Amino acid sequence: LTRLLAAIVECCHDAKGIAWPEWVAPYRGVVLTSTLRRRRKTAGASAADNSVFNAAWKLFDDLNGFVPEQSHVRQCEAQFDCVLDDRWEESVGAKLTEAELIGYPWVFIVGKHFATDGYIETRHRPSGNVWLLPAEEIPAHINRIASG
């Protein structure tokens, strides 16, 4: 098993770190947040911060219950497992750098685009593509990308 993982890392990496294929990634995605308060240097969480945090938790819950359309894989293996980076005081840049180093195939950033327009920045590491999507469209988008 260790040789297999070493071979995957050797084949699937770039300058940013490991780029796990979705079928072996420990988690398929990570939900990150940006703290708007840090930029404004005001005390306490603002209403915008609260909406960002609430949206991040909702997206995390929705994605962990989501099963992409993959008829050739057993349901327990197909479930979209993701993690929530809940280090609220850490900068989004630091979180994004760590997410790239760890190699999550999907990164969802709930931050400035969500606070202003209601969009979540969605990054697909294997393809390098970035999209701005409403939260309710993310599962369908994952299915479109997974089906080719």
Side-chain angles (χ1 to χ4, degrees), residues 1 3 11 33 36 41-43 47-48 50 54 66 68-69 89 91 97 105 108 111 119 137 142 147:
L1 184 63
R3 288 183 182 178
C11 293
T33 61
L36 306 174
K41 297 186 183 202
T42 59
N50 288 335
N54 291 336
F66 170 64
E69 296 172 3
E89 293 299 321
S91 73
T97 299
F108 307 96
Y119 293 114
E137 290 183 17
I142 292 170
S147 65

Side-chain angles (χ1 to χ4, degrees), residues 52 63 89 98 100 136:
V52 165
L63 288 176
E89 293 299 321
E98 283 188 17
E100 290 173 340
E136 60 273 4

Side-chain angles (χ1 to χ4, degrees), residues 45-62:
S46 69
D49 284 336
N50 288 335
S51 70
V52 165
F53 297 152
N54 291 336
W57 277 103
K58 182 174 182 339
L59 179 63
F60 169 72
D61 288 339
D62 291 349

Side-chain angles (χ1 to χ4, degrees), residues 6-148:
I8 292 170
V9 170
E10 184 66 31
C11 293
C12 302
H13 73 281
D14 57 20
K16 296 178 182 177
I18 301 169
W20 291 110
E22 285 192 50
W23 51 274
V24 292
Y27 294 96
R28 289 190 182 179
V30 60
V31 178
L32 307 178
T33 61
S34 68
T35 304
L36 306 174
R37 176 174 49 89
R38 176 175 279 223
R39 288 193 296 266
R40 289 195 304 268
K41 297 186 183 202
T42 59
S46 69
D49 284 336
N50 288 335
S51 70
V52 165
F53 297 152
N54 291 336
W57 277 103
K58 182 174 182 339
L59 179 63
F60 169 72
D61 288 339
D62 291 349
L63 288 176
N64 275 322
F66 170 64
V67 178
E69 296 172 3
Q70 296 177 352
S71 59
H72 64 283
V73 179
R74 292 191 321 243
Q75 183 169 345
C76 64
E77 295 171 351
Q79 184 169 344
F80 193 95
D81 289 329
C82 71
V83 295
L84 174 66
D85 190 338
D86 61 356
R87 297 173 296 157
W88 306 120
E89 293 299 321
E90 194 69 46
S91 73
V92 70
K95 292 179 192 180
L96 187 56
T97 299
E98 283 188 17
E100 290 173 340
L101 183 63
I102 292 169
Y104 298 108
W106 290 92
V107 177
F108 307 96
I109 303 171
V110 184
K112 66 180 180 181
H113 295 292
F114 183 81
T116 58
D117 302 322
Y119 293 114
I120 295 173
E121 186 175 330
T122 304
R123 295 175 177 225
H124 187 235
R125 177 80 184 273
S127 69
N129 291 329
V130 178
W131 302 272
L132 293 176
L133 302 168
E136 60 273 4
E137 290 183 17
I138 289 176
H141 185 74
I142 292 170
N143 280 332
R144 278 194 302 275
I145 298 302
S147 65

